[in-house]
Amino acid sequence: MYYKSYVSGVVRIPPTRFNAELKEAIFAQLKQDYEGQVAEDLGKVIAILNVDQVGEGILIPGDGAAYYHTKFTIVNYVPEIQELVEGEIKDIAKFGAFIDFGPFEGMIHLSPDNG
């Protein structure tokens, strides 16, 4: 199921992004860090929608990057047991079929009929 979630975390802004406006730099870094990733508590992150809040930044000696505590909004997909999803079969093999469903790819395994 798709969700709109509010997430809190720390984002590392590398020096290469220091020339951009702070919210734009954070948004771009969040997109790079999160979009398309699968996290245990969030499922698959589909998109970063908005940077809602930015806290004070800190610099860590020897790193060169700035770290900001931030709150942001995402769209994420978490598959649920018994959820009915629509998919497209991409390939068929003797042991099953490969399918694209939602933001994931999977396999439907066919067991031999034991009669």
Side-chain angles (χ1 to χ4, degrees):
M1 178 163 294
Y2 290 92
Y3 294 95
K4 181 179 179 182
S5 300
Y6 301 97
V7 181
S8 179
V10 175
V11 62
R12 178 184 185 272
I13 305 299
T16 56
R17 295 197 190 273
F18 285 175
N19 61 344
E21 183 203 334
L22 181 58
K23 267 195 167 181
E24 290 175 9
I26 289 173
F27 185 78
Q29 192 63 44
L30 289 171
K31 286 179 73 65
Q32 180 179 330
D33 292 346
Y34 283 88
E35 283 187 0
Q37 299 298 314
V38 177
E40 186 175 334
D41 54 340
L42 298 174
K44 186 164 188 173
V45 177
I46 306 302
I48 305 296
L49 297 180
N50 192 33
V51 175
D52 302 313
Q53 187 177 12
V54 177
E56 287 290 318
I58 63 167
L59 296 173
I60 297 178
D63 184 2
Y67 291 80
Y68 291 91
H69 183 77
T70 184
K71 293 182 180 179
F72 52 101
T73 308
I74 66 169
V75 172
N76 55 318
Y77 179 81
V78 181
E80 297 180 5
I81 294 175
Q82 302 287 330
E83 179 181 9
L84 181 62
V85 295
E86 189 173 314
E88 181 179 339
I89 295 174
K90 292 296 188 178
D91 194 17
I92 297 177
K94 287 184 180 183
F95 52 85
F98 295 92
I99 186 168
D100 284 348
F101 61 98
F104 289 102
E105 296 175 352
M107 186 190 81
I108 301 172
H109 186 267
L110 298 176
S111 299
D113 186 19
N114 293 331

